Amino acid sequence: MPILARLLTPEEFGAVAVALAVVQFLAMIGGAGLASALILEPKEDAETIHSVFWANLALAFSMAAGLYVFAEPLAGWFGASDAAYLLRLMCLLIPLQLAGDVAYALVARRMQFSRDALWSMISESIAAIAAVVLALVGFGIWALVAQLFVAGAIRLVGLFFVSRYLPRLRFRLEGVVRLARFSLGLMGSEVANFVTFQSPMVVISRFLGLADAGAYSAANRFSSIPNQVVLSGVMGVLFPAFSTMMHDRERRSQALMLSTQVTTLMLAPMMFGLWALAKPSMLLLFGPQWAAAWPVLGLLALSKGLLTPCSTFIPYLKGSGHGGALFWWAVGRAAATTAAVAWGAHDGTLIEAMVALCLVNAVVLVGYSWVVFRADGTPFLSGFYRSVRPMLTAALMAFAVRLALDHYLAQHVHPVLQVGIGIALGGLLYAVLVLLTEGPLLRKLLELVRRPRTAAVASLP
């Protein structure tokens, strides 16, 4: 990401980001939530699985054809008229993505996440290398496009390999219709969540132009790395895990609180730490042409940091049978996020739009927690305090690092050392604060780590 940012322009990043947002939205609608419904099926029925695959593929090609035909008016509406040619090419990503949905559903049902993670790592690594090579030899924006296609193709092969799934020419409409009835609620919430995450890009492109959209895209991709590292596996595991606890309220409630505390414990220091070190990080990693965008990176990290306790809420509501609550909350959150960013960007700047995003996310944190703890039957105040406590600790750590940076390190130390010293100082402060505030959680985690070893030793002759 930093290498590509030094070789390409903000406008190029913005054009690809806007086109990708459209493609992903149509791919989500085209899937109709059928793969998610397969995960919750009591057993694997071959005829239903094949039927979902062919239904997904037919919808995918229909969506791709529609995007190809209406590429120019769509690009103009998003404020990116020059990106119509990208939409026509990137429409092929829709069938490339949906062709693997059934295979991923089988992987999730069987909890084969370690194998899937290996292929994800391979696909993203090879795609990143290909993009950098193409950018170095002068392919410009096509390096970003190639990255998407290479990653998608390798990921598709990996999913079929891990799941051992081979499509056959079998189709039963009744099975697809049955799953579609159930999946519509899940799809509605997923569409709303997608709008929440992608609407800022569309709003910024429309009101502020492709250059600001590119700055937002680069900062957003970089600030999303901690979420991708921690949550990409966790959220995939939690959905089927919570679904198995649907009728065991006590076990489900304990799993919700533990998973929320642990993900916040890991994610919050990364996000708030990135806020503290945004300025030297942007200059060091992205280069002088992006240096002015460091407040955008910092504010995006802050907005994501505020939501770290919410990381487990979506799989919890999906897996525990609270699809209605998830849908209405997702719709409200999408509307609030879009309105806040539009309000900040309409007569202001990109920074003002990001400030508005931070404010609405603070409200979302409280509201989302209330919805989930009410659905779980957990007292709101006690559940909310336990879930946000690691976040407050991380915020205190980041504030101390930011003070040290602003009042001493920035004037006397090179950006490389600023980042290194900031990480070391933040890590030390956070470790001390966690030991002081999260003793019961740490003892619980230690117990969980020791339990399999104890069981293994006890089984020895």
Side-chain angles (χ1 to χ4, degrees):
M1 178 65 194
I3 296 174
L4 291 173
R6 289 174 176 268
L7 296 172
L8 304 175
T9 67
E11 289 81 3
E12 290 171 325
F13 269 92
V16 172
V18 171
L20 184 61
V22 178
V23 167
Q24 290 178 331
F25 179 74
L26 293 176
M28 178 174 295
I29 295 176
L34 293 174
S36 296
L38 273 182
I39 295 175
L40 298 178
E41 281 285 274
K43 61 180 181 179
E44 293 183 13
D45 176 68
E47 191 167 356
T48 302
I49 292 171
H50 295 314
S51 301
V52 170
F53 174 83
W54 293 115
N56 266 3
L57 207 60
L59 289 168
F61 278 107
S62 299
M63 290 288 181
L67 180 57
Y68 185 89
V69 172
F70 296 103
E72 288 190 9
L74 274 174
W77 189 84
F78 286 117
S81 301
D82 294 338
Y85 71 99
L86 287 176
L87 287 175
R88 288 197 173 97
L89 175 62
M90 291 171 61
C91 71
L92 296 175
L93 288 170
I94 299 176
L96 187 62
Q97 178 177 328
L98 289 183
D101 271 10
V102 167
Y104 178 77
L106 296 176
V107 170
R109 284 181 57 89
R110 301 164 188 169
M111 305 292 277
Q112 296 175 319
F113 295 105
S114 59
R115 297 180 183 178
D116 176 53
L118 176 62
W119 276 96
S120 294
M121 181 185 69
I122 292 172
S123 65
E124 295 297 336
S125 299
I126 294 177
I129 292 171
V132 169
V133 171
L134 289 173
L136 284 171
V137 298
F139 276 85
I141 198 172
W142 298 110
L144 296 174
V145 176
Q147 183 179 15
L148 298 172
F149 277 96
V150 171
I154 298 176
R155 168 84 167 147
L156 180 62
V157 171
L159 284 172
F160 279 113
F161 178 81
V162 172
S163 66
R164 299 291 193 270
Y165 172 68
L166 287 176
R168 295 184 180 179
L169 289 174
R170 296 165 62 183
F171 186 82
R172 185 178 62 197
L173 183 61
E174 293 81 4
V176 175
V177 172
R178 178 178 58 83
L179 289 181
R181 290 176 184 152
F182 173 78
S183 67
L184 286 177
L186 291 178
M187 186 189 71
S189 60
E190 288 176 359
V191 168
N193 285 320
F194 181 86
V195 171
T196 298
F197 297 124
Q198 295 295 336
S199 62
M201 167 63 64
V202 176
V203 169
I204 291 166
S205 172
R206 184 169 178 81
F207 288 126
L208 302 176
L210 284 181
D212 279 348
Y216 171 83
S217 173
N220 189 48
R221 288 176 65 180
F222 186 67
S223 62
S224 295
I225 290 174
N227 282 336
Q228 293 172 350
V229 171
V230 176
L231 294 183
S232 59
V234 171
M235 292 187 73
V237 172
L238 286 179
F239 174 34
F242 280 129
S243 67
T244 64
M245 308 175 197
M246 185 180 297
H247 304 295
D248 189 342
R249 189 262 169 193
E250 182 177 357
R251 184 176 170 222
R252 189 184 69 230
S253 182
Q254 292 175 353
L256 169 65
M257 184 54 63
L258 181 62
S259 60
T260 301
Q261 288 180 297
V262 171
T263 52
T264 307
L265 191 73
M266 292 187 295
L267 270 177
M270 299 181 192
M271 304 314 306
F272 284 97
L274 182 56
W275 167 79
L277 297 172
K279 187 173 184 178
S281 297
M282 201 74 175
L283 180 63
L284 174 65
L285 297 175
F286 288 76
Q289 64 172 333
W290 298 84
W294 75 264
V296 179
L297 175 62
L299 290 168
L300 273 171
L302 180 60
S303 70
K304 297 175 191 296
L306 289 169
L307 293 180
T308 48
C310 305
S311 304
T312 60
F313 291 173
I314 293 176
Y316 172 80
L317 291 174
K318 287 174 62 177
S320 60
H322 292 92
L326 175 61
F327 171 75
W328 289 113
W329 176 254
V331 170
R333 181 186 173 191
T337 301
T338 305
V341 176
W343 176 76
H346 186 265
D347 294 316
T349 64
L350 181 57
I351 294 175
E352 291 173 339
M354 295 301 96
V355 170
L357 181 61
C358 290
L359 293 175
V360 78
N361 279 357
V363 176
V364 166
L365 169 63
V366 178
Y368 215 169
S369 300
W370 182 81
V371 169
V372 170
F373 291 133
R374 183 186 180 190
D376 185 61
T378 299
F380 171 70
L381 290 179
S382 63
F384 183 71
Y385 174 68
R386 289 170 62 191
S387 63
V388 303
R389 190 169 55 204
M391 184 191 75
L392 297 175
T393 301
L396 181 60
M397 172 273 296
F399 184 72
V401 172
R402 186 67 174 263
L403 283 177
L405 182 69
D406 290 342
H407 293 284
Y408 181 76
L409 296 178
Q411 290 80 18
H412 301 91
V413 179
H414 189 274
V416 175
L417 291 177
Q418 290 181 42
V419 173
I421 294 173
I423 291 174
L425 177 61
L428 178 61
L429 287 174
Y430 188 67
V432 172
L433 291 171
V434 166
L435 289 173
L436 293 175
T437 60
E438 299 295 341
L441 176 60
L442 295 176
R443 287 191 292 272
K444 176 68 174 178
L445 293 176
L446 186 60
E447 177 188 344
L448 290 173
V449 170
R450 286 176 173 175
R451 190 178 298 169
R453 296 180 182 177
T454 303
V457 172
S459 66
L460 293 175

